[in-house]
Amino acid sequence: MQQYILALDQGTTSSRAILFDRQGQVFATAQQEYPQHFPQPGWVEHDALDIWNSQLACARQVLRDSGVASAQVAAIGIANQRETTLLWDRRSGAPVARAIVWQDRRTADTCDRLREEGRAGLIQRKTGLELDAYFSATKLQWLLEHVPGARERAARGELAFGTVDSWLAFKLCGRHLTDVSNASRTMLFNIHSMRWDDELLDVFGIPAAVLPEVVSSAEVVGHANEEWFGRSIPIAGIAGDQQAATFGQACHHKGMVKNTYGTGCFMLMHAGERPAQSHNRLLSTVGWKIDGRTDYLLEGSVFMGGATVQWLRDGLGIIKQSSDVEALATSVPDSGGVLLVPAFVGLGAPHWDPYARGTIVGMTRGTTAAHIARAAVEAIAYQSAELLDAMQKDADCPVAEVRADGGAARNDLLMQFQADLLGVPVVRPTVTETTALGAACLAGLAVGFWQSRDEIAEQWKVDRRFEPTMPRARSEELMTTWRRAVNAAKAWAS
């Protein structure tokens, strides 16, 4: 009987479930968007039950529509939006508040205060992260302070904190856990000792009783209850979405780089078996832990990637669906001098400015919707080019190519412009669902569905290779102009 791995890919704007066969190919997929909540400027929230219900519905749908029986599912792998912070009642499983999403900026002032107290260096040394509202620690602190009775209940062990992987695992099998990659994004986990750090817990005022157990990225951590799929299925792989995508892109060796073009853009370089120290405001993070070996990554994060295109669709209404943006953008030869800096929720690496705001510069009476669409597409590439520039400065090995994935990687205009700005080839694989693939690969390794990383790497295939064609002098001129636009967007909000 043919067997498959079921990957649960829980993202910022939608949940997906994908079945992978032994060749690492997508056999079937299901996707469901769910509501976003913006109660105040700079606040972004999800209903935790919307996350769970949409993810469960997708998993059931992909099995039903494909005709695959639950007995044919060898294991479940989970990849998830990272840093998003949930708090729920251990006994009832009911959330005590909405989830605070990674994009949320409400705790920027808390980070400012901690920075003024001289805490940033300690946090960076222990966690590899910048002191920023992006990460989970200040979000959890906010929940404990603002949900009535939460701090006292958490200290008594009545409440459970988790990132989205923890929440899904708890709902699936009842265990309160997280894997090392997600733990490393909380700003509470020491990436050197690979443990929750008491000193960091004290800095943020977090009771240890609220924290999940930390497990490796490829091991059977539980079994999904029979009520969900009619049969108990092993949960065997967990990783944050960007670590999962890096693994799915077969970036298993030091110096290999991938960039995911999703809601945000996330460029990661394999840094080896020791944490990398960034001098250019990149993040050092845990990639995965398999069979006792931990691999580390160097990461740059852009907060608004594909979300910028969603804004064109939902905010401006100049396109009906996200896939329309390429045709509109290519209807003009260039952006007509227009630059769009999509700092709608601040700027991530290498700027880390929570007070930057979205800015459009260079408009004239001749500016059209097409020019703005083109500027939006190019903005994704500009931001990613800044990441590779910082990464090249930090790394002790040259970058030969960048492997691209995510929904926007299907946009040829974006991929070619990206290669031109980077000055290195951008390679798009045949399977661009690499976040889900990475989760599937981790789960498959744990249950023997695949035997080794080499077997997984051999299945990775090229769809198209975009070679840089723009003269370097021109790309450098464009980047200089881009930096001027970024400076105009900085420190706008107070």
Side-chain angles (χ1 to χ4, degrees):
M1 183 168 54
Q2 178 70 42
Q3 285 197 307
Y4 303 90
I5 300 291
L6 172 61
L8 306 182
D9 182 4
Q10 205 299 303
T12 309
T13 57
S14 69
S15 296
R16 296 188 301 167
I18 301 180
L19 287 168
F20 289 93
D21 61 22
R22 288 193 184 276
Q23 288 70 49
Q25 297 297 307
V26 173
F27 180 73
T29 184
Q31 183 168 355
Q32 187 176 118
E33 290 194 7
Y34 62 93
Q36 314 288 301
H37 301 278
F38 309 99
Q40 295 184 35
W43 290 30
V44 189
E45 296 178 345
H46 292 152
D47 186 319
L49 292 177
D50 285 341
I51 291 175
W52 164 243
N53 290 329
S54 62
Q55 188 63 78
L56 178 62
C58 287
R60 286 172 163 169
Q61 180 187 340
V62 78
L63 294 175
R64 181 178 64 251
D65 291 354
S66 66
V68 171
S70 57
Q72 294 175 264
V73 179
I76 294 172
I78 298 172
N80 57 282
Q81 54 165 313
R82 305 170 302 172
E83 298 93 23
T84 294
T85 300
L86 301 94
L87 191 64
W88 66 91
D89 185 292
R90 285 184 186 273
R91 180 170 295 181
S92 69
V96 302
R98 279 181 179 166
I100 302 179
V101 179
W102 58 273
Q103 296 169 316
D104 190 283
R105 310 306 295 169
R106 76 184 67 179
T107 59
D109 57 345
T110 301
C111 294
D112 289 343
R113 176 178 53 79
L114 290 169
R115 194 172 291 106
E116 290 168 3
E117 293 173 0
R119 307 281 195 172
L122 170 75
I123 291 166
Q124 199 277 335
R125 286 192 302 274
K126 287 178 176 263
T127 68
L129 306 177
E130 288 280 330
L131 174 54
D132 192 81
Y134 175 32
F135 305 105
S136 308
T138 57
K139 302 180 193 299
L140 175 57
Q141 182 185 42
W142 191 96
L143 288 171
L144 294 177
E145 290 174 353
H146 289 82
V147 176
R151 182 170 294 283
E152 294 74 21
R153 295 185 66 201
R156 292 195 299 266
E158 296 174 11
L159 300 183
F161 151 72
T163 42
V164 170
D165 61 308
S166 300
W167 172 240
L168 294 180
F170 183 85
K171 297 296 286 184
L172 285 168
C173 71
R175 283 190 68 188
H176 183 211
L177 55 86
T178 188
D179 93 296
V180 292
S181 71
N182 280 291
S184 75
R185 310 297 296 190
T186 62
M187 221 155 55
L188 299 170
F189 188 76
N190 189 315
I191 64 171
H192 306 280
S193 67
M194 297 293 286
R195 298 178 184 276
W196 298 118
D197 191 282
D198 290 338
E199 189 173 8
L200 294 174
L201 295 180
D202 184 62
V203 166
F204 294 102
I206 306 298
V210 81
L211 299 173
E213 175 189 356
V214 181
V215 299
S216 68
S217 309
E219 65 171 296
V220 177
V221 298
H223 290 74
N225 296 333
E226 289 186 16
E227 65 180 296
W228 305 130
F229 306 112
R231 170 183 169 268
S232 178
I233 302 173
I235 302 167
I238 302 175
D241 52 10
Q242 301 314 314
Q243 288 94 330
T246 308
F247 197 82
Q249 282 275 38
C251 292
H252 301 161
H253 302 289
K254 187 174 180 179
M256 298 182 74
V257 177
K258 74 89 194 173
N259 196 26
T260 293
Y261 298 83
T263 301
C265 292
F266 302 89
M267 185 176 289
L268 288 89
M269 171 187 282
H270 195 297
E273 295 181 49
R274 291 166 51 182
Q277 179 70 38
S278 175
H279 302 285
N280 293 279
R281 307 198 74 184
L282 299 178
L283 308 177
S284 184
T285 194
V286 176
W288 45 80
K289 183 178 180 181
I290 304 171
D291 294 333
R293 169 184 156 181
T294 302
D295 288 32
Y296 292 88
L297 305 172
L298 196 61
E299 174 177 338
S301 308
V302 166
F303 296 155
M304 294 290 293
T308 308
V309 177
Q310 291 175 333
W311 173 72
L312 296 180
R313 181 192 68 189
D314 302 334
L316 296 188
I318 64 174
I319 53 174
K320 290 186 177 181
Q321 51 191 11
S322 295
S323 57
D324 294 340
V325 72
E326 184 172 6
L328 181 58
T330 53
S331 69
V332 289
D334 53 47
S335 69
V338 176
L339 287 167
L340 189 162
V341 183
F344 299 101
V345 292
L347 289 169
H351 306 285
W352 297 107
D353 182 354
Y355 303 111
R357 287 297 178 266
T359 305
I360 303 177
V361 298
M363 290 191 294
T364 67
R365 284 290 300 273
T367 298
T368 67
H371 292 113
I372 294 173
R374 181 135 187 161
V377 171
E378 292 181 351
I380 300 171
Y382 280 123
Q383 293 175 101
S384 296
E386 288 189 296
L387 298 182
L388 188 68
D389 181 56
M391 206 165 273
Q392 295 265 38
K393 292 174 181 175
D394 273 335
D396 57 3
C397 51
V399 174
E401 65 182 25
V402 172
R403 296 184 172 187
D405 57 68
R410 292 188 287 269
N411 185 319
D412 289 352
L413 171 65
L414 171 60
M415 293 295 96
Q416 184 58 55
F417 190 66
Q418 186 70 89
D420 287 340
L421 289 181
L422 297 179
V424 299
V426 172
V427 185
R428 184 172 62 201
T430 55
V431 177
T432 57
E433 305 294 354
T434 53
T435 299
L437 176 59
C441 289
L442 291 166
L445 284 175
V447 297
F449 190 82
W450 291 297
Q451 299 303 314
S452 68
R453 301 184 201 201
D454 289 342
E455 181 182 355
I456 290 169
E458 287 173 3
Q459 294 175 346
W460 187 88
K461 298 290 188 296
V462 174
D463 169 58
R464 183 169 171 185
R465 186 178 181 91
F466 296 85
E467 297 284 350
T469 58
M470 183 181 291
R472 290 307 295 159
R474 175 57 179 160
S475 63
E476 289 166 7
E477 178 186 355
L478 290 174
M479 288 301 302
T480 298
T481 307
W482 166 256
R483 293 185 186 100
R484 286 178 56 209
V486 169
N487 286 334
K490 283 187 173 181
W492 183 261
S494 60

